Amino acid sequence: QKEVEQDPGPLSVPEGAIVSLNCTYSNSAFQYFMWYRQYSRKGPELLMYTYSSGNKEDGRFTAQVDKSSKYISLFIRDSQPSDSATYLCAMSSPGGFKTIFGAGTRLFVKA
Amino acid sequence: EPEVTQTPSHQVTQMGQEVILRCVPISNHLYFYWYRQILGQKVEFLVSFYNNEISEKSEIFDDQFSVERPDGSNFTLKIRSTKLEDSAMYFCASSEQEGPGYTFGSGTRLTVV
């Protein structure tokens, strides 16, 4: 079983839709859960991160972590064409220096 | 906004040659990282560096790879004898403290021919 699994998509939605992006993981030691956005031929850009379980909201973005199910989600409200990018989930353990990335989901928001 | 700067943006090298990829992390950051992304694949951890030494490395980071912080601002990744499979985007990242939330550079695209 892969450490982090993420559906690569692509996911195509109309402007204004609510987008749901998800990842599952297998390593119970993960405590930090991150979402990055990556535009073509650019480095990943951190959107938000959560520690342990729960929800975190930042503007149109909401991150959810369910450690009992080993499942994390990112919701994007009122999606915009500028949200079109690849979204990477990522995870790490306390005291560890490396971050494990999912494969990324390509999102297209159509005007 | 502070950023991580990587040079060159694209490097083409012949198989067997040595390459050095350069990075200037954010000035007050203490933790430095190299990741790579082969075209169409995941971002993969290579190495982390703190207090002038490697703190963790992956199985990819074999004897052909080395990192150095030659002065107070640069952080380099050297590949001693490049192979075709080293072709990838190499991302440098830095963070102020241990834990999540790196700032990544825009990457160096390495093409080994």
Side-chain angles (χ1 to χ4, degrees):
Chain A
Q1 184 181 10
K2 292 181 182 176
E3 257 190 314
V4 179
E5 301 218 40
Q6 183 177 12
D7 185 339
L11 179 62
S12 184
V13 301
E15 183 176 357
I18 296 174
V19 175
S20 172
L21 304 167
N22 312 292
C23 288
T24 59
Y25 63 95
S26 58
N27 189 343
S28 301
F30 289 145
Q31 294 280 0
Y32 292 108
F33 303 93
M34 293 147 273
W35 287 95
Y36 285 85
R37 177 173 61 196
Q38 186 177 26
Y39 293 110
S40 182
R41 300 201 182 276
K42 294 291 187 183
E45 171 197 7
L46 180 69
L47 286 174
M48 54 201 306
Y49 75 87
T50 53
Y51 176 75
S52 196
S53 282
N55 293 4
K56 187 172 183 179
E57 189 172 317
D58 184 0
R60 296 185 294 112
F61 298 88
T62 300
Q64 286 186 352
V65 175
D66 180 350
K67 291 192 71 182
S68 62
S69 303
K70 295 190 176 68
Y71 188 88
I72 71 169
S73 301
L74 178 71
F75 298 96
I76 308 174
R77 290 183 298 282
D78 187 24
S79 55
Q80 303 295 310
S82 57
D83 295 327
S84 298
T86 297
Y87 289 80
L88 311 173
C89 64
M91 304 169 195
S92 64
S93 309
F97 291 93
K98 69 180 180 182
T99 295
I100 306 299
F101 284 83
T105 299
R106 290 191 69 191
L107 172 67
F108 296 96
V109 181
K110 299 172 292 185
Chain B
E1 188 171 329
E3 58 181 30
V4 175
T5 305
Q6 289 188 244
T7 54
S9 57
H10 186 197
Q11 176 138 13
V12 181
T13 188
Q14 289 206 323
M15 192 169 52
Q17 295 297 303
E18 174 184 287
V19 294
I20 297 176
L21 309 182
R22 302 181 190 280
C23 170
V24 179
I26 293 172
S27 61
N28 65 331
H29 284 188
L30 301 176
Y31 296 82
F32 313 112
Y33 312 86
W34 284 101
Y35 283 75
R36 79 172 186 189
Q37 186 175 30
I38 295 170
L39 187 63
Q41 297 188 25
K42 290 184 179 186
V43 175
E44 299 175 291
F45 171 78
L46 291 178
V47 66
S48 59
F49 191 86
Y50 169 71
N51 201 25
N52 281 318
E53 61 182 24
I54 290 174
S55 42
E56 191 168 354
K57 62 182 180 179
S58 72
E59 56 277 4
I60 302 168
F61 194 89
D62 61 21
D63 292 344
Q64 293 300 309
F65 291 86
S66 62
V67 289
E68 193 177 31
R69 188 155 164 80
D71 53 45
S73 59
N74 290 282
F75 180 51
T76 62
L77 174 69
K78 182 194 293 186
I79 309 175
R80 248 178 287 281
S81 177
T82 50
K83 304 187 280 283
L84 294 176
E85 54 265 37
D86 293 326
S87 295
M89 281 288 281
Y90 287 80
F91 293 108
C92 175
S94 67
S95 63
E96 194 172 356
Q97 53 197 10
E98 183 186 338
Y102 312 150
T103 301
F104 281 86
S106 289
T108 292
R109 182 154 61 105
L110 176 66
T111 303
V112 182
V113 297

